[in-house]
Amino acid sequence: MKLYITENTKRNDKTVAVDDTILVEGMPSTAGSKMLGEFKPLFDAEVISRLYNTGFSITGKSNVGEFGLDLLGETSNYGVCLNADGTLAGAAAAIVANGDAEYALSVDLNGTPRRAATLQNVCFIKPTYGTVSRHGVIPCACSAEQIGVMAKTSVKAAELLSIIAGHDKKDGTSLPQMKYDYTAADNATGIRIGIPTEYIEKAEQTVSEKVYRFADVMKADGATVEEFSLSELSFVQAAWQILLCAETCNNLSRYDGVKFGYRGNNSKDIGELYTSSRTEAFGLNAKFAILYGSYVLSKGHYESCYDKALRIRRVLRNKLDGIFSQFDLIIAPACSKLAYSPSDVVNSLEACYNESYFTALSNISGIPTVVCGGVQLMGDSFSENKLLTAATVYERTEVGK
C-alpha cells in the first residue's frame, strides 16, 4: 500500500500531508497520472505558502486517483491503497487516521475525500467554494474543485482551515474576504436539521443508522430534526457528470506530449504524437471524461447537454435557498456503504458515477460540507460555523461515552 508518493524527512509537531494534486516546490506532483510522470513544480501552491509561513511542515505528497476522478484512489498510477482487511482506503484519510500526519490537505473534486474520511472515521471540511485559494492546484473541474482539510477532529480541522482560508489575488475564483473565523458554538440549541429521504433510501442500513444516530445526538442537545424530500437529486447527479466531464476535457487538453508530461514514442507526425501520448498515459476514467466532455460541448449537443446542466445548477441553487430557509443543516450519507473491496471498483467508472449520487449536491453548488461521525453535514454558503457546531457536539458526546 503506497500512502505517500514522496516523503519529507524534515518534520515538526505541526505536520501536514498534501494531496498529489497540490503543487509543492521540488516535490513530484503527478495527480496520480502517468501523464505527469515525475513532474516537479517550480513554485508552491498558495495554501502551502501559508502553511510554511505559520510554521507547518509537509510530511509528503499523499497518493490520489488519477486527477481525483475516481472513487477512493483506485486509479492511481502508483497503485491502490488498502486497509489491513483488504478494503479500499483513501491515502490522506488513512495517513491522518494512522497518526502519520496531524492534518491532510485534499482536493474535493468528486467527493473522494468525503468518502475516505467516512470510511476512516476522521473529519473532513470542504469549505464554501472560493474561500480557499485554488492557485497551485492541478486543475480538472475548476467550477467545483476545492481544497479541504482532514484531521481527527473537527476542531483541529477548523484550526488549519482558518490558516489557509482567505482572499488570494492570484486566484480568479477567490472571494474578496481576507480572513475567515471558524469557530463552534457550545451547543446545538435552535439548529434546524433536515434529512433527505432519498439519500436514506439509496444507502445501506449500516450507513442510515449512522445518520439517525447523529440526528439523535443533535436532538438531545437541543436541535430539531425533520425528514424531507429532495427529489431533484437524480437530476443533480446527471448534471454534475456533464459539467465535470466538460471542464475536465478542457483542462486535460493541455497534456499533449509536447510542452511537458509523458511523450509517446515512434510518432511520425504531431497528430500521432498527440494520440500516442494521451493513449498511453491517460487511464480509463480520464479518457472517458475527455471523450464525454468533448461530446457534450460539441455542436448539436451543447444546448441539450452542457447548457441544460448549467440551467439545472441555477435551478438547484434556487431550490437550496428554499431548503436553507427551512433548515440550517442537512445530514446525509457520504457514500452508500462503509467498506469497498477492490472487486467493487473493477468498473471504476460505474462505481464512481453511482456514488456521486451522495456527493454531487455539494460539488455542483459549492456549499460547505463537513464529514464527521461517518456522515456528511451540508449547509448554506458560509455556514461552516453551524456545521462545526454540530460536528463538535457529536464528537463531544461520542468521546464522552
Side-chain angles (χ1 to χ4, degrees):
M1 173 171 79
K2 190 162 188 177
L3 294 177
Y4 283 109
I5 300 302
T6 183
E7 289 191 70
N8 186 355
T9 57
K10 295 180 180 179
R11 303 183 182 183
N12 58 26
D13 59 351
K14 299 165 67 176
T15 56
V16 185
V18 180
D19 263 11
D20 198 32
T21 49
I22 302 173
L23 304 187
V24 178
E25 182 181 355
M27 285 189 181
S29 297
T30 72
S33 177
K34 181 179 179 180
M35 176 57 80
L36 286 172
E38 291 300 313
F39 167 67
K40 293 183 179 181
L42 301 178
F43 66 93
D44 291 320
E46 174 64 20
V47 292
I48 302 302
S49 297
R50 295 188 183 194
L51 291 180
Y52 284 153
N53 291 339
T54 47
F56 285 82
S57 65
I58 306 303
T59 63
K61 304 299 293 295
S62 51
N63 196 4
V64 298
E66 187 175 31
F67 295 103
L69 291 168
D70 59 4
L71 194 74
L72 282 164
E74 67 276 3
T75 62
S76 171
N77 187 50
Y78 299 93
V80 66
C81 297
L82 300 174
N83 293 310
D85 61 0
T87 57
L88 293 175
I95 287 168
V96 171
N98 295 342
D100 296 328
E102 197 169 0
Y103 310 91
L105 292 185
S106 293
V107 178
D108 192 321
L109 168 68
N110 200 27
T112 300
R114 280 176 276 156
R115 293 184 205 103
T118 297
L119 303 184
Q120 295 291 338
N121 199 29
V122 297
C123 178
F124 176 73
I125 303 178
K126 182 184 87 70
T128 302
Y129 180 78
T131 56
V132 174
S133 174
R134 292 176 44 257
H135 176 73
V137 172
I138 296 174
C140 206
C142 297
S143 73
E145 60 197 11
Q146 182 63 73
I147 295 176
V149 178
M150 201 96 64
K152 285 189 176 180
T153 68
S154 58
V155 171
K156 294 194 74 64
E159 289 174 353
L160 195 71
L161 184 60
S162 296
I163 292 171
I164 64 173
H167 177 69
D168 175 22
K169 64 182 180 181
K170 299 184 295 299
D171 176 11
T173 63
S174 180
L175 296 174
Q177 187 166 329
M178 297 305 297
K179 291 298 292 181
Y180 296 88
D181 180 29
Y182 298 110
T183 57
D186 292 333
N187 57 67
T189 300
I191 293 180
R192 303 164 300 169
I193 296 173
I195 301 176
T197 55
E198 288 80 5
Y199 278 134
I200 299 299
E201 292 167 356
K202 283 273 190 177
E204 292 185 355
Q205 184 177 349
T206 52
V207 178
S208 300
E209 288 172 352
K210 283 188 170 289
V211 172
Y212 288 125
R213 171 57 188 159
F214 202 106
D216 288 342
V217 171
M218 293 300 103
K219 286 190 288 186
D221 204 64
T224 60
V225 179
E226 180 184 340
E227 293 194 28
F228 72 101
S229 176
L230 186 53
S231 57
E232 292 84 357
L233 286 175
S234 59
F235 299 106
V236 171
Q237 181 186 28
W240 172 235
Q241 187 70 21
I242 291 171
L243 297 177
L244 170 66
C245 291
E247 295 183 34
T248 298
C249 169
N250 278 333
N251 278 309
L252 297 192
S253 65
R254 72 191 68 199
Y255 305 120
D256 53 18
V258 176
K259 295 179 287 295
F260 59 88
Y262 179 85
R263 174 173 293 192
N265 298 316
N266 303 319
S267 301
K268 298 178 181 178
D269 53 42
I270 192 68
E272 284 192 11
L273 176 62
Y274 290 167
T275 300
S276 63
S277 298
R278 291 169 174 167
T279 300
E280 295 168 21
F282 283 138
L284 179 62
N285 286 32
K287 289 175 181 175
F288 169 80
I290 292 169
L291 291 173
Y292 186 57
S294 300
Y295 173 83
V296 300
L297 291 172
S298 64
K299 184 179 180 180
H301 300 104
Y302 180 93
E303 290 189 2
S304 61
C305 294
Y306 182 70
D307 185 61
K308 186 173 289 186
L310 291 175
R311 292 172 185 268
I312 291 174
R313 173 182 263 173
R314 180 67 261 173
V315 170
L316 173 65
R317 182 62 257 185
N318 294 336
K319 175 72 174 180
L320 287 175
D321 288 341
I323 291 173
F324 289 127
S325 68
Q326 183 179 0
F327 302 107
D328 296 306
L329 309 177
I330 294 173
I331 302 180
C335 43
S336 66
K337 53 186 180 179
L338 297 179
Y340 296 84
S341 67
S343 62
D344 291 329
V345 292
V346 169
N347 187 342
S348 179
L349 277 171
E350 182 180 1
C352 195
Y353 178 75
N354 290 340
E355 290 298 319
S356 71
Y357 182 86
F358 299 94
T359 56
L361 177 63
S362 177
N363 288 118
I364 197 173
S365 63
I367 59 176
T369 306
V370 171
V371 170
C372 173
V375 303
Q376 63 176 340
L377 315 173
M378 293 177 278
D380 203 0
S381 298
F382 311 109
S383 66
E384 282 89 344
N385 288 350
K386 287 184 179 179
L387 297 171
L388 288 168
T389 295
T392 54
V393 166
Y394 180 84
E395 290 168 346
R396 184 173 65 232
T397 302
E398 293 302 291
V399 171
K401 282 186 173 182

